[in-house]
Amino acid sequence: MSLKKISRALISVYYKENLEPIIHQLAKQDVEFISTGGTQDFIEKLGYAVIPVEELTGYPSIFGGRVKTLHPAVFGGILYRRNDEGDLNQAAEFKISAIDLVIVDLYPFEETVSKGGSKEAIIEKIDIGGISLIRGAAKNFNDVLIVSERTQYQALLELLMLKNGSTEITDRKHFAARAFDVTSHYDTAIFKYFNQGKEIPSFKTSFKQGKVLRYGENPHQQGIFYGDIESLFDQLNGKELSYNNLVDVDAAINLVSEFNNETAFVIIKHTNACGVATGADVKEAYLKAFQADTISAFGGVLASSRKIDLGAAEEINKLFFEILIAPDYDAAALEILKSKKNRIILKQKQILSAKKQFKSLLNGVIEQDLDLKTDSKEDLKQVTKQAPTTEQIDALLFASKICKHTKSNTIILAIDGQLLASGVGQTSRVDALKQAIEKAGAFGFNLKGAVMASDAFFPFPDCVEIAHQNGIEAVIQPGGSIKDKDSIDFCDRHNIAMVFTGTRHFKH
């Protein structure tokens, strides 16, 4: 029979929160307790007898607590097969009693690393006995129920109450799967700590939380998000975030984070910016951003670097958009913005902390450092006779920030504090520039005095020639072409200022 009564439980946990109801329920069902250390004290203070692990093994806790449960009396009780005659005979021979339930959690290794613990403290938080108990109990799920972290306490309590202290094979197998999820995540975290220099070229990552999405990029594709979205945002209104929503939200907050020290507003469509601006307040920044492309903004993803006030909300509310992200909202502003029930309103609680990015391709995974380099004044190398003015330098750096977050090949046309137009995802840089120029004209912008940013070098002088014909007066680009001199010479003949950054910003 797959239904098994729990008679003995081994309990040894780091976190005691929410454990008490489980202890009471097990005691009510006449379960015998085995424990050690702080957990033993906890159970005894609740008024229940405990068999100390040391009594079971005949050994005290040794080596500073590194060895407590690693003993046949413990692991034998967990691992011996109740339906195997040989195992039963050996259990009787060595006086090993069955353990039917194991409740163990692991030392907080990840938390210790994230809080900047010393090397000694981090190493001591590598659990040995706990993870061995979890793996052993999970392996023998035919006979043993394993509870491997505190998030499972409520499910255990409900199971104990529902089935009066018994479990079925489906219950035990489910908890075993969750146990191996816990141990694999834990081992991945330890490996990544030891392999920070990437000396071992092995790709491992783990996210313990997952959320099934309505669908993937298209309705016929399944989609799942792995990660803790709730630690980043409070969702204040609207429907569930979709796959495409999440991709655009990522693009929006990465771009708007370039302007943390300014009041900035970003409008994203299919991961590319169709509007970016800074302003004296959020309302001004939004209106300038919207001005760049009043068509593409429809159904877009919006992000602000500052709290949304009433004046900004009144303007933003006139637009149909999918998502708005901001660090906070005035109460009156939020009331207006929530007038559309499906409109997603997110309050961003923390900045992105990832330093790497990866994606699947060619039956494998490719990983790289995130492009965390933002071009600054110190990076600029004047390569033309004409020096950029202070105002042009500000505009060039503004354009460069947008360029970094736009699909290659890309050209950005801007003035200080406002995107005028962009050419995105083109197969040639000339096509990207022509697209940007056409778009700027379509929305009524005069490019006289504007600046141009390119994500990569110009292999020929054609782009600076076309830019000059349309009134562009300053250019920022990485440089590095064997024909850089051709572009420089053209700029010198036509009094165009050009600076090199030395950093390419391809984005595919």
Side-chain angles (χ1 to χ4, degrees):
M1 293 287 291
S2 67
L3 192 66
K4 290 184 177 288
K5 181 79 171 68
I6 297 171
S7 297
R8 295 178 98 211
L10 171 62
I11 306 174
S12 180
V13 296
Y14 189 88
Y15 297 103
K16 314 297 189 297
E17 295 87 352
N18 301 317
L19 183 62
E20 182 176 342
I22 293 170
I23 302 299
H24 289 312
Q25 186 64 30
L26 289 170
K28 187 177 176 182
Q29 292 160 345
D30 298 321
V31 174
E32 191 173 48
F33 297 115
I34 304 167
S35 192
T36 185
T39 309
Q40 178 183 342
D41 294 340
F42 179 84
I43 297 171
E44 289 176 337
K45 284 178 181 176
L46 294 176
Y48 303 114
V50 178
I51 300 171
V53 167
E54 295 82 358
E55 180 180 311
L56 199 67
T57 64
Y59 280 87
S61 174
I62 57 177
F63 308 129
R66 284 188 168 198
V67 179
K68 289 185 283 190
T69 57
L70 296 168
H71 191 279
V74 175
F75 281 86
I78 293 169
L79 281 164
Y80 87 80
R81 291 158 292 191
R82 279 48 158 184
N83 62 352
D84 184 282
E85 186 176 350
D87 284 9
L88 288 167
N89 289 336
Q90 283 191 316
E93 178 184 355
F94 294 105
K95 297 181 173 57
I96 293 174
S97 299
I99 296 171
D100 313 301
L101 168 64
V102 176
I103 305 176
V104 176
D105 61 10
L106 299 172
Y107 292 157
F109 178 84
E110 285 184 284
E111 293 91 330
T112 306
V113 173
S114 66
K115 291 177 180 177
S118 67
K119 288 182 180 179
E120 293 77 12
I122 289 169
I123 296 303
E124 288 308 312
K125 289 299 184 289
I126 298 175
D127 208 314
I128 303 300
I131 204 162
S132 300
L133 289 167
I134 290 171
R135 289 179 63 85
K139 177 177 179 175
N140 199 24
F141 67 89
N142 277 321
D143 300 304
V144 181
L145 180 70
I146 174 62
V147 177
S148 50
E149 64 178 4
R150 53 184 167 165
T151 59
Q152 300 166 19
Y153 286 177
Q154 184 59 35
L156 171 63
L157 182 60
E158 291 172 3
L159 178 64
L160 294 172
M161 296 173 69
L162 178 65
K163 298 184 179 178
N164 196 31
S166 296
T167 64
E168 296 184 60
I169 186 67
T170 52
D171 303 320
R172 298 190 295 275
K173 190 172 183 180
H174 172 73
F175 275 87
R178 295 181 73 173
F180 285 121
D181 179 37
V182 168
T183 60
S184 63
H185 179 85
Y186 195 76
D187 284 338
T188 295
I190 295 170
F191 170 75
K192 291 175 78 171
Y193 173 77
F194 277 88
N195 196 43
Q196 291 178 64
K198 298 291 182 183
E199 296 88 353
I200 303 171
S202 176
F203 178 80
K204 289 182 175 64
T205 193
S206 177
F207 296 96
K208 289 179 67 178
Q209 292 176 274
K211 180 178 178 59
V212 176
L213 305 173
R214 297 197 302 274
Y215 50 80
E217 200 161 10
N218 299 291
H220 63 278
Q221 295 170 270
Q222 183 182 20
I224 303 175
F225 173 75
Y226 295 103
D228 186 6
I229 196 73
E230 293 179 0
S231 69
L232 284 175
F233 305 106
D234 285 332
Q235 183 166 345
L236 308 179
N237 193 66
K239 58 188 179 182
E240 285 190 359
L241 288 158
S242 70
Y243 181 100
N244 292 330
N245 289 157
L246 291 166
V247 173
D248 283 339
V249 165
D250 182 72
I253 61 176
N254 271 292
L255 177 51
V256 82
S257 69
E258 298 281 357
F259 303 96
N260 279 338
N261 297 322
E262 302 173 82
T263 300
F265 206 95
V266 167
I267 304 174
I268 294 289
K269 198 69 173 288
H270 295 295
T271 74
N272 292 305
C274 58
V276 183
T278 58
D281 54 34
V282 176
K283 177 181 177 180
E284 180 186 340
Y286 164 71
L287 289 173
K288 288 168 64 179
F290 178 64
Q291 189 180 15
D293 188 340
T294 57
I295 295 175
S296 297
F298 182 87
V301 172
L302 285 53
S304 172
S305 65
R306 296 287 184 268
K307 178 193 282 191
I308 304 293
D309 58 22
L310 179 60
E314 288 172 337
E315 289 296 334
I316 295 168
N317 193 52
K318 297 174 184 178
L319 174 69
F320 170 77
F321 62 89
E322 287 274 342
I323 303 169
L324 175 60
I325 311 153
D328 207 352
Y329 300 83
D330 284 342
L334 189 58
E335 184 177 352
I336 289 174
L337 294 167
K338 290 171 70 173
S339 60
K340 304 288 193 297
K341 68 175 183 178
N342 287 330
R343 180 185 281 169
I344 298 170
I345 307 295
L346 300 177
K347 178 180 175 180
Q348 187 174 351
K349 297 188 286 188
Q350 59 177 272
I351 62 173
L352 298 179
S353 58
K355 299 294 188 291
K356 300 280 186 180
Q357 64 180 165
F358 55 88
K359 61 181 177 181
S360 61
L361 52 78
L362 299 174
N363 293 332
V365 172
I366 192 167
E367 181 187 53
Q368 67 170 353
D369 297 333
L370 279 168
D371 184 359
L372 301 176
K373 169 66 177 173
T374 299
D375 298 325
S376 66
K377 290 181 181 179
E378 291 71 30
D379 297 315
L380 304 184
K381 178 184 177 183
Q382 180 185 331
V383 294
T384 53
K385 294 175 183 176
Q386 181 72 31
T389 65
T390 300
E391 291 76 14
Q392 285 175 334
I393 289 173
D394 291 340
L396 290 167
L397 293 173
F398 173 84
S400 176
K401 290 177 180 179
I402 304 169
C403 203
K404 168 184 166 182
H405 294 274
T406 307
K407 295 288 186 183
S408 301
N409 288 311
T410 185
I411 292 289
I412 299 296
L413 305 179
I415 55 176
D416 183 25
Q418 186 177 25
L419 169 66
L420 302 182
S422 59
V424 304
Q426 298 301 300
T427 52
S428 84
R429 205 153 299 282
V430 170
D431 285 346
L433 175 55
K434 288 180 177 178
Q435 181 190 54
I437 291 168
E438 180 181 353
K439 193 170 185 180
F443 290 99
F445 289 109
N446 184 341
L447 295 176
K448 176 65 177 173
V451 304
M452 175 173 71
S454 174
D455 60 335
F457 64 63
F458 299 123
F460 304 101
D462 43 11
C463 280
V464 290
E465 292 170 8
I466 296 169
H468 170 67
Q469 293 165 9
N470 287 272
I472 303 296
E473 296 182 355
V475 178
I476 185 170
Q477 58 136 318
S481 169
I482 59 173
K483 294 189 176 182
D484 276 344
K485 190 174 184 304
D486 293 346
S487 295
I488 293 169
D489 288 346
F490 181 88
C491 289
D492 282 341
R493 291 195 301 271
H494 296 86
N495 298 318
I496 298 173
M498 184 160 65
V499 294
F500 287 179
T501 64
T503 302
R504 189 179 73 186
H505 291 292
F506 270 166
K507 188 168 188 283
H508 293 104

